[in-house]
């Protein structure tokens, strides 16, 4: 065991913090933003593409945002003044909405979100309103859940490639570790039990307590959905190891072709699993409803203690009641929701096809995918050296010469150099075409 | 110095956490809610007063919320459809508003808040837009600032009595300590340098690093403003000790009689203090604008590193862009803002006078106050025993027999038993009268 003793003879004691110094969190290495993912964003911010004002600027393809269906939302808003606090129909509710709520969130908002999650999951599982905890955005939902499940120094296994922001979002303030589980292109980056087992055993050998497995389904950055047998295997794994399963399902309503999405909630319901208290879902209205900056994150936990603790922690991250009121008004409109999801899926499929086939013509293949706002492109044949350095060199060429901000696989902890994530739903057709033209020109120059 | 050594012989090592256990935060003692402050809220929730449906229910007087001027906000909303995303005037901006922002927040929103803070401070100091960090509520602003300034185990000095929620909000996830600085009724609970010095030296003797002094001005729960000489003394103290000064100014627009409010920003400007990077202000639109559940918290820091770190941390606690748009539309309407602040102040003064004089008639005196949504009542003559036990016994009588949920001084760390905080702005005149009737009946029964 480790014990503390006083040793007055040694002089290398770190000095006690000066009162005017800042915390280690505030002064830590670039606040975990020292990765190409964040560097690319900063480079883009300095020189953003605009078709007229800055036609040689950088096109933002690292932003997983859905701008394809905003017109559907606009139409709904315009025809539903009662959801506003402005119109005569809504202003009567202003007092109630503006007034101090407890941190549960408006019941009508949570009911509406439960209904929406059921709809997105194909009505295969029920969601209970009172297991929904609202947070100001999906990042907050993930952080709150991490605070609830693990102590500093404890860890989650995370299959690679995974969303680059997790390293900052989940580790910075919680002190929790993420342990990559390496998946490979030989089976299209599917998670295997041997890979999980190896990562788990390595963590144990390093004396690290593994508290859970964190999966993203549909995957960010792969754009693929997990099949039921994989989900069942993962459940068996977490039950065998006595650890938690956190399922990030924030792209579940952004599936645009077969196979369909299966929520972990569906497996729990279908298999009539009784011990569900190790399963937790993170959801949001960021991606599936094109409402990114309205900041509605959701924790759905089957564990009562987690629901209670997370709800209390959500005091640090409350959703504006103005926005809760909008959600509570919009999502129970089942007809609108179904039409929106169907039409949005159609538009995503079309955009995906446009971009992926454009890449194919240029000589670049992508992993087959059926979901998400991005594709996972195989640029291995363009690497000068088949290592991370070669990948970063190519990433810099894409950023600075081709003028596209994309995410290199290494920022997603992908262990095979040469894969890149391209986002395609945060722009109009013309901008997609401009990005494809640039890529084609570049590829031709390589011949 | 302290060093770590391995000692394999000892057997008292805590067992490694089981993977399916929760974090110590999630399972800690009632999540810091084991105080009469939170108990009273729970009791109220079980039996809330309603003039018709539950006329013997508990009246909520522990809620510092301003419902006196909501009609002014309603009128503004109703006559300004351009601030909505519904009306024709607003829907054109929906795309821009709904789209993914960086964590800076909308520039127009931050500009509007800076203007509002200047107005509230009597235009005696300038606030820079780019020093404003937005968070989802004031609780989040305080927590983010604490995360930025102190490491776990480090501490802030906090003059008593102070807002009961701080013990949970500032300590729970950050691991930071709060050290009460005892103030007394002999000088109307004003902060003195000897009391600060004593608390500081006691902390040092316990080997605790003091990182800052946290003050609430206007005070919650006292309802008093700090004069300029006190503020100057506090500044000298923090400079001498090389520590930070955090000023919670969330009631600065809720001053209803003389003396006027003086922001720490005014002192920094007037005294032309150049080294300002240890001063940080927490503000919000909760109290002063009657928009509690719209969740707009503000950190204003003079320290560039804190601004950068806090802005990145605000990813965990984002303000809905829908609400940012509303703020950006409403607050630049200077005429409305000035009328609102003046009228709101007049209504608060009237309500304060009504309640305090009612208490006086019943035989209860309050500390003289000029701000806030509450008063600090002296019930020492009603104690059966002059200790904390006696105070809690009286608090239970007030809660269960009189049917008022108020906050006992001990929940605010007041070291003198018998003081209670009564909130008076979260109800209409009839409910205030009902509370006064009940108090008078109770006092008569004591004669």
């Amino acid at each position: 065991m480790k014990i503390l003793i006083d040793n007055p003879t040694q002089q290398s004691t770190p000095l006690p913090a000066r009162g005017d110094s800042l915390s280690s969190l505030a002064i830590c290495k670039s606040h975990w933003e020292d990765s190409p993912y964040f560097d690319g964003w900063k480079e883009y911010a300095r020189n953003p593409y605009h078709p007229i004002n800055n036609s040689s600027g950088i096109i933002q393809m690292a932003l997983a945002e859905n701008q394809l269906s905003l017109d559907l939302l606009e139409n709904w808003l315009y025809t539903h003044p009662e959801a506003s606090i402005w119109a005569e129909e809504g202003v009567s509710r202003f007092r109630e909405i503006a007034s101090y709520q407890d941190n549960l969130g408006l019941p009508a908002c949570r009911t509406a979100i439960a209904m929406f999650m059921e709809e997105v999951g194909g009505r295969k599982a029920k969601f209970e309103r009172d297991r929904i905890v609202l947070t100001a955005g999906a990042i907050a939902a993930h952080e709150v859940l991490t605070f609830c499940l693990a102590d500093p120094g404890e860890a989650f296994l995370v299959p690679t490639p995974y969303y680059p922001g997790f390293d900052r979002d989940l580790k910075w303030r919680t002190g929790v570790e993420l342990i990559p589980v390496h998946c490979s292109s030989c089976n299209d980056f599917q998670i295997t039990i041997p890979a999980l087992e190896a990562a788990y055993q390595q963590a144990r050998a390093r004396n690290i307590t593994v508290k859970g497995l964190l999966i993203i389904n549909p995957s960010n950055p792969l754009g693929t959905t997990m099949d039921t047998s994989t989900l069942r295997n993962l459940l068996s794994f977490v039950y065998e190891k006595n650890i938690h399963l956190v399922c990030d399902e924030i792209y579940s309503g952004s599936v645009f072709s077969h196979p369909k999405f299966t929520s972990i909630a569906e497996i729990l319901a279908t298999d009539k699993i009784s011990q569900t208290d190790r399963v937790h879902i993170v959801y949001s209205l960021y991606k599936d409803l094109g409402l990114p900056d309205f900041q509605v994150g959701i924790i759905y936990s089957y564990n009562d203690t987690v629901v209670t603790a997370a709800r209390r922690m959500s005091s640090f991250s409350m959703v504006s009641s103005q926005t809760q009121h909008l959600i509570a008004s919009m999502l129970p409109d089942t007809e609108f929701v179904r039409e929106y999801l169907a039409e949005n899926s159609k538009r995503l499929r079309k955009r995906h096809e446009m971009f992926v086939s454009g890449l194919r013509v240029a000589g670049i293949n992508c992993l087959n995918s059926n979901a998400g706002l991005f594709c996972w492109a195989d640029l291995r044949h363009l690497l000068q050296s088949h290592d991370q350095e070669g990948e970063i060199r190519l990433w810099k060429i894409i950023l600075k010469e081709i003028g596209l901000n994309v995410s290199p696989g290494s920022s997603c902890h992908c262990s095979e150099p040469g894969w890149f994530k391209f986002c395609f739903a945060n722009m109009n057709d013309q901008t997609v075409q401009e990005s494809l033209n640039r890529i084609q020109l570049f590829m031709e120059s390589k011949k």
Side-chain angles (χ1 to χ4, degrees), chain A:
Chain A
M1 74 169 293
K2 293 189 185 297
I3 55 169
L4 284 165
I5 60 162
D6 282 315
N7 179 346
T9 61
Q10 293 229 16
Q11 290 306 309
S12 62
T13 321
L15 289 168
R18 278 181 51 180
D20 65 342
S21 65
L22 304 179
S23 69
S24 5
L25 292 181
I27 57 173
C28 73
K29 46 170 186 173
S30 320
H31 308 127
W32 296 93
E33 291 192 0
D34 48 352
S35 92
Y37 174 71
F38 289 105
D39 291 344
W41 276 73
K42 288 164 199 159
E43 194 76 18
Y44 164 75
R46 281 190 284 272
N47 179 28
Y49 168 77
H50 185 280
I52 296 156
N53 304 335
N54 190 23
S55 62
S56 65
I58 295 171
I59 298 175
Q60 174 59 291
M61 304 193 86
L63 172 58
E65 176 184 303
N66 185 355
Q67 294 184 2
L68 301 184
S69 304
L70 286 176
D71 60 310
L72 306 179
L73 295 172
E74 278 169 349
N75 286 343
W76 189 90
L77 290 173
Y78 201 57
T79 50
H80 289 80
E82 76 284 359
S84 161
I85 52 168
W86 267 257
E88 200 154 2
E89 296 87 337
V91 84
S92 63
R93 299 207 53 206
F94 172 72
R95 276 169 194 267
E96 182 190 333
I97 295 160
S99 285
Y100 210 100
Q101 302 292 330
D102 59 29
N103 50 15
L104 290 170
L106 294 175
C109 177
R110 289 180 289 122
T111 302
I113 288 173
M115 285 169 59
F116 186 73
M117 289 173 77
E118 287 173 11
E119 191 63 39
V120 164
R123 297 180 295 287
K124 298 290 177 61
K126 297 294 283 177
F127 289 98
E128 294 172 39
R129 178 183 84 181
D130 292 339
R131 295 201 169 280
I132 286 179
V133 180
L134 299 180
T135 61
I139 293 178
H142 267 295
E143 197 205 33
V144 165
L145 198 47
T146 307
F147 268 124
C148 287
L149 298 180
D151 282 328
E154 296 181 338
F156 281 85
L157 304 177
V158 196
T160 66
Y162 65 77
Y163 166 59
F166 275 170
D167 288 312
R168 184 191 68 174
D169 302 343
L170 275 66
K171 291 155 77 171
W172 188 17
R173 303 200 305 184
T174 65
V176 166
E177 296 297 319
L178 300 185
I179 297 176
V181 179
H182 292 294
C183 301
S184 103
S185 62
C186 69
N187 69 344
D188 292 340
F189 298 98
Q190 287 183 65
I191 308 165
T192 65
I193 297 300
L196 276 175
E197 188 68 45
Y200 182 83
Q201 294 307 340
Q202 280 164 22
R204 298 283 296 170
R206 287 165 56 212
N207 215 14
I208 296 174
T209 301
V210 174
K211 289 303 279 287
L213 166 63
L214 164 59
I215 58 170
I216 314 176
N217 177 32
S219 164
N220 175 2
L222 299 175
T224 53
T225 48
M226 282 181 197
D227 59 27
T228 53
S229 84
T230 301
L231 288 169
R232 288 197 170 95
N233 288 340
L234 298 180
L235 264 181
S236 302
F237 179 82
V238 301
Y239 281 115
E240 185 205 313
K241 303 298 184 199
N242 270 328
I243 61 176
H244 294 273
L245 178 63
V246 175
C247 303
D248 176 323
E249 298 188 349
I250 69 173
Y251 293 99
S252 52
S254 303
V255 177
F256 50 79
S257 65
H258 286 285
K260 73 168 189 59
F261 165 71
T262 305
S263 169
I264 195 71
E266 180 181 333
I267 303 287
L268 295 177
T270 311
D271 295 1
K272 297 190 171 50
I273 292 171
S274 56
Q275 196 199 352
T276 54
D277 65 354
R278 286 182 227 159
V279 180
H280 321 274
I281 296 172
V282 170
Y283 190 54
S284 90
L285 305 178
Y286 266 54
K287 311 296 183 180
D288 291 351
L289 204 64
L291 284 177
D293 216 31
F294 280 40
Q295 304 300 346
V296 184
I298 294 133
I299 297 169
Y300 189 91
S301 176
Y302 292 88
N303 184 305
D304 295 341
T305 310
V306 170
V307 170
T308 304
R311 190 162 281 158
R312 289 177 177 168
M313 281 189 197
S314 72
S315 306
F316 303 115
S317 180
M318 303 283 278
V319 179
S320 167
S321 59
Q322 186 192 17
T323 295
Q324 289 188 46
H325 176 61
L326 165 62
I327 300 304
S329 308
M330 181 186 275
L331 297 188
D333 184 344
T334 317
E335 196 184 343
F336 165 74
V337 163
R338 288 187 187 162
E339 278 175 21
Y340 177 91
L341 289 172
E343 178 62 25
N344 182 50
S345 164
K346 214 168 83 183
R347 293 184 188 182
L348 275 175
R349 182 166 57 246
K350 195 174 150 207
R351 172 59 65 83
H352 172 261
E353 178 53 29
M354 174 188 179
F355 187 67
V356 166
S357 61
L359 286 184
R360 199 181 305 120
V361 169
I364 295 169
N365 290 317
C366 294
L367 185 77
N368 277 334
S369 65
N370 63 325
L373 313 172
F374 31 73
C375 59
W376 187 239
D378 180 0
L379 272 62
R380 286 179 291 180
H381 54 304
L382 301 177
L383 296 181
Q384 284 182 351
S385 62
H386 284 269
D387 51 19
Q388 196 179 323
E389 206 173 285
E391 179 178 285
I392 294 302
R393 202 175 305 134
L394 177 58
W395 171 73
K396 284 184 180 159
I397 291 170
I398 298 172
L399 182 66
K400 297 186 175 174
E401 294 180 25
I402 315 186
L404 306 178
N405 180 33
V406 299
S407 305
S410 53
S411 70
C412 304
H413 293 266
C414 183
S415 47
E416 289 178 33
W419 293 87
F420 289 76
K421 174 181 155 188
F422 287 73
C423 296
F424 54 67
N426 57 315
M427 60 194 79
N428 59 23
D429 281 348
Q430 289 72 33
T431 308
V432 176
Q433 197 50 60
E434 169 68 18
S435 73
L436 288 171
N437 294 345
R438 292 184 185 183
I439 293 167
Q440 276 167 347
L441 265 176
F442 172 76
M443 293 299 282
E444 276 161 24
S445 75
K446 290 269 136 195
K447 279 175 187 167

